[in-house]
Amino acid sequence: MKQDIRRNKRVQIPQLSSEQKLLYRKIVFLLAAGFCLTPWASPPIALMLGILLALTHENPFHRISRPAAKYLLEASVIMLGFGMNLAVVLKAGASGALFAVGSISATFILGYFLGKWLKIPIKASALISAGTAICGGSAIAAVSSVINAAESEISVAMGTVFVLNAVALFVFPPLGHVLHLTQAQFGTWSGVAIHDISSVVGAASHYGQSALYTATAVKLSRALWIVPISAAASYIFQRQESKSGDVIHKPQVPWFIGLFILASVVRTFIPEVASWSPVVTHVSEAGLTLTLFLIGAGLSQRMLKAVGWKPMLQGVLLWIFISATSLGVILLIVR
């Protein structure tokens, strides 16, 4: 009789308290971050791991992971400069500058008409164009601050660019091999057509060290356009904002680019630095891989829900435009 009673008893599974659940999520997050610093983790794996944790476990460090990703990215890029000769930086930056004026202008013009056609709010459309034309999330953050974009508009642009940026990290290296692009060609193409510098570095590092150096220099030269584009956006939206009484902020200046160039100058003119630059480069690449994990972990359900099909269509069409046109020019000019 007692045995029957025991059999009929339900097994009580102990429930974790909220504090225990939070501790579990923190442990899983830190273990995943630690894995991203190992040789087995690649940039695409780190990004996908971050996205997976964000969508299944939520980010237990969401308040600090975003600023941490920003500063880690900047520090890693600066360290990458210690592995690059100044001549390589200037040559790659000059070749990228040839595309800058034309491609950035064409992207904004096309983005304006696509936004009108798809009936996307003008500020959200402008942010998507800025993220595509210049440097992804950094450009969106800078331009949004000077045009006083609403949080919903920023979320739409960030979500759109984030998804396409993640796709580029996986798509570009195989395409480069299929098209038999040289290191210089792929590096230039990545620097022009991939949105964020984190994915630019992640994709180019898979293709080769020469491609990595070229892509970094090209992308950073385009990032300098944040300042004039932000100033232009501030002027364009100034009348509308002055009527509503809103305050227009000053554009953000990407100061870390100057430190990257300074690191390259030190590497070029101080021979002793060249001996330990491979170690610094290795550390910077590990930092960039961890950065991609933190960026992926910063994704949220709210951000994905904010992205409708119209903003995504605008982002895809702009991305196809800048990818195809820049590739055609690169194949003709860059060897």
Side-chain angles (χ1 to χ4, degrees), residues 38-125:
T38 66
W40 301 287
S42 64
I45 291 176
L47 180 64
M48 290 306 300
L49 185 58
I51 294 174
L52 182 63
L53 285 181
L55 298 179
T56 57
H57 287 69
E58 298 182 3
N59 186 350
F61 302 102
H62 63 277
R63 291 184 179 179
I64 62 174
S65 62
R66 180 170 293 181
K70 175 181 179 295
Y71 292 121
L72 181 60
L73 172 63
E74 293 176 353
S76 299
V77 169
I78 293 170
M79 287 190 291
L80 197 60
F82 285 105
M84 300 178 63
N85 188 282
L86 183 62
V88 176
V89 175
L90 295 177
K91 181 179 179 181
S95 64
L98 296 175
F99 302 104
V101 177
S103 61
I104 291 174
S105 301
T107 301
F108 272 100
I109 293 172
L110 179 59
Y112 172 78
F113 286 107
L114 284 174
K116 296 278 284 186
W117 173 54
L118 295 170
K119 298 181 180 179
I120 300 173
I122 187 169
K123 289 185 179 181
S125 176

Side-chain angles (χ1 to χ4, degrees), residues 21 70 97 161 180-181 191 290 295 299 310 329:
K21 290 179 180 178
K70 175 181 179 295
V161 168
H180 303 291
L181 299 182
L290 181 59
I295 290 173
L299 182 66
K310 289 183 178 180
V329 175

Side-chain angles (χ1 to χ4, degrees), residues 235-256:
Y235 175 79
I236 293 171
F237 286 92
Q238 189 169 12
R239 291 183 179 180
Q240 180 181 351
E241 302 300 339
S242 61
K243 290 179 181 178
S244 62
D246 292 331
V247 178
I248 297 178
H249 302 281
K250 294 181 180 180
Q252 301 176 14
V253 179
W255 298 107
F256 75 98

Side-chain angles (χ1 to χ4, degrees), residues 205-218:
S205 62
H206 262 311
Y207 209 80
Q209 192 173 58
S210 180
L212 170 62
Y213 291 160
T214 301
T216 303
V218 170

Side-chain angles (χ1 to χ4, degrees), residues 17-46:
S17 65
S18 57
E19 292 80 5
Q20 290 174 324
K21 290 179 180 178
L22 179 60
L23 178 61
Y24 166 74
R25 285 163 45 204
K26 287 182 177 180
I27 292 174
V28 171
F29 186 93
L30 292 174
L31 287 175
F35 170 76
C36 293
L37 296 175
T38 66
W40 301 287
S42 64
I45 291 176

